[in-house]
Amino acid sequence: MRQEMEDAISVKPRLFQVSSQMLVNDHVNENGKQSLAHFFAVYDGHGGLQVANYCQERLHSKLIEEIETAQSTSAETNGRGDWQDQWKKAFINCFQKMDDDVGGIGASNRGNNSGGSESNIKTVAPETAGSTAVVAILSQTHIIVANCGDSRTVLYRGKEAMPLSSDHKPNREDEWARIEAAGGRVIHWKGYRVLGVLAMSRSIGDRYLKPWVIPEPEVNIVRREKNDECLILASDGLWDVMTNEEACEVANKRILLWHKKFGDNGPTGRSEGADPAAQSAAEYLTKLAIHRGSQDNISVIVIDLKAQRKIKRKP
């Protein structure tokens, strides 16, 4: 992983146990089984550090609360209902509550319930501060990605780069239509921007641009396969100067190079699950993007999806 300036990243290995009912529709033989899930996220802040830092500190905890609620609901209904919809609802509720907290809405409700006044409400960030949020949950069987904004997750499967998120840009046809339907405008000023200001159409925060900029994430779920090589989460500072295919190829090559160089005897550096080979790949991608003249913050997480790598070495 590599973090820059207003960005924040979050890596939480073995964050929580997810029940089988959140990973399959047919769980006749799956009830009671649990799978460890790992959490990864990139938050690209703008207008200040506050929202990105708040997400880094709290979003994973908020998500666990929503997942636990979904799992208890699933248990009560004996697993009836679509498990993918449960993930989508959990993420949508999580991101909305984070947005409410940032805007002081959660504090407002608590204050009103306790007789507090509006003047006592503390907001986390200025109304012009916001952040993207791209989150990947990794279980033994699935990759679940939620994205809000223009950070991106890409999976390298075999020799194919598969984007697992779609950038929320104001000139995306459906986003443009949504913004105009809400009474807003997309204006071209050094690129397409909401009201000529913000270069993304979804984010957490940015109170001054509501209701046109929304915190609702899009959620994508894929089953893991044996030929999955690596997963990249990065802010747009990387994708501005590099294609999905190139980033995946470079990352995978750096992981292989690290293993060829150090093998099983190299420096492990595995503090809290850190993978030195993937770390090397993330740092290399960041340096390459800077070398190519990227003008934006660059934060990169690379995840090696191979449990073991068989490296052929010269004797």
Side-chain angles (χ1 to χ4, degrees):
M1 57 186 176
R2 176 78 182 190
Q3 177 181 332
E4 294 281 332
M5 297 163 67
E6 283 184 317
D7 294 3
I9 58 177
S10 183
V11 176
K12 305 287 182 183
R14 303 173 297 278
L15 180 64
F16 62 96
Q17 295 272 0
V18 58
S19 73
S20 60
Q21 292 180 336
M22 290 288 285
L23 295 171
V24 288
N25 271 336
D26 177 18
H27 27 112
V28 174
N29 300 315
E30 299 287 337
N31 282 333
K33 289 188 177 179
Q34 298 279 318
S35 173
L36 268 177
H38 314 285
F39 176 97
F40 306 90
V42 168
Y43 308 111
D44 184 0
H46 48 266
L49 296 162
Q50 298 93 334
V51 180
N53 286 347
Y54 191 78
C55 288
Q56 182 186 49
E57 293 167 3
R58 314 255 181 128
L59 192 144
H60 57 280
S61 300
K62 194 83 70 178
L63 181 62
I64 289 175
E65 292 175 6
E66 295 300 325
I67 291 170
E68 287 175 347
T69 299
Q71 289 184 155
S72 63
T73 301
S74 179
E76 290 170 4
T77 60
N78 200 26
R80 289 189 294 273
D82 191 298
W83 64 275
Q84 297 197 27
D85 283 344
Q86 292 175 339
W87 279 106
K88 290 173 184 176
K89 288 175 185 175
F91 271 111
I92 289 170
N93 291 343
C94 169
F95 280 41
Q96 183 62 60
K97 288 178 180 179
M98 291 296 296
D99 189 72
D100 290 345
D101 284 355
V102 165
I105 294 175
S108 174
N109 291 337
R110 289 189 292 272
N112 290 338
N113 290 338
S114 60
S117 66
E118 198 75 23
S119 60
N120 293 327
I121 296 167
K122 292 183 179 179
T123 55
V124 171
E127 64 174 12
T128 53
S131 178
T132 71
V134 63
V135 175
I137 301 293
L138 197 65
S139 79
Q140 290 177 321
T141 56
H142 290 80
I143 302 169
I144 300 122
V145 172
N147 179 56
C148 175
D150 58 4
S151 296
R152 188 185 308 163
T153 297
V154 181
L155 169 66
Y156 195 39
R157 172 169 287 174
K159 299 296 181 184
E160 182 186 358
M162 296 174 52
L164 298 187
S165 63
S166 179
D167 300 354
H168 292 127
K169 297 286 192 183
N171 58 322
R172 207 177 93 175
E173 188 175 351
D174 55 341
E175 289 294 277
W176 192 313
R178 178 186 61 75
I179 291 163
E180 290 195 334
R185 290 182 63 197
V186 176
I187 299 170
H188 191 279
W189 187 80
K190 295 182 179 179
Y192 290 95
R193 298 171 183 269
V194 179
L195 300 194
V197 180
L198 192 64
M200 70 198 70
S201 54
R202 301 193 190 194
S203 71
I204 294 173
D206 293 303
R207 295 198 305 281
Y208 72 122
L209 290 175
K210 296 192 183 305
W212 312 294
V213 174
I214 62 174
E216 182 175 323
E218 290 182 302
V219 180
N220 189 16
I221 302 172
V222 297
R223 179 173 279 277
R224 294 178 65 174
E225 295 184 2
K226 286 184 178 179
N227 61 340
D228 290 348
E229 296 287 344
C230 64
L231 190 70
I232 303 174
L233 287 75
S235 56
D236 62 329
L238 177 73
W239 309 115
D240 285 346
V241 295
M242 206 172 298
T243 65
N244 295 343
E245 291 74 15
E246 185 180 13
C248 287
E249 288 169 6
V250 168
N252 201 51
K253 185 179 289 185
R254 298 304 298 187
I255 290 170
L256 292 172
L257 282 172
W258 191 96
H259 283 286
K260 282 182 179 179
K261 182 176 181 181
F262 295 109
D264 299 329
N265 301 316
T268 59
R270 287 182 174 273
S271 59
E272 296 193 2
D275 179 345
Q279 175 84 22
S280 171
E283 290 177 353
Y284 188 84
L285 284 173
T286 304
K287 290 174 184 174
L288 187 57
I290 293 170
H291 178 72
R292 291 189 176 179
S294 177
Q295 299 297 307
D296 209 337
N297 298 344
I298 307 161
S299 287
V300 182
I301 296 174
V302 175
I303 304 155
D304 186 356
L305 296 174
K306 294 288 189 187
Q308 292 181 320
R309 287 193 175 268
K310 296 177 181 179
I311 307 298
K312 294 180 180 179
R313 297 185 186 83
K314 292 180 181 178

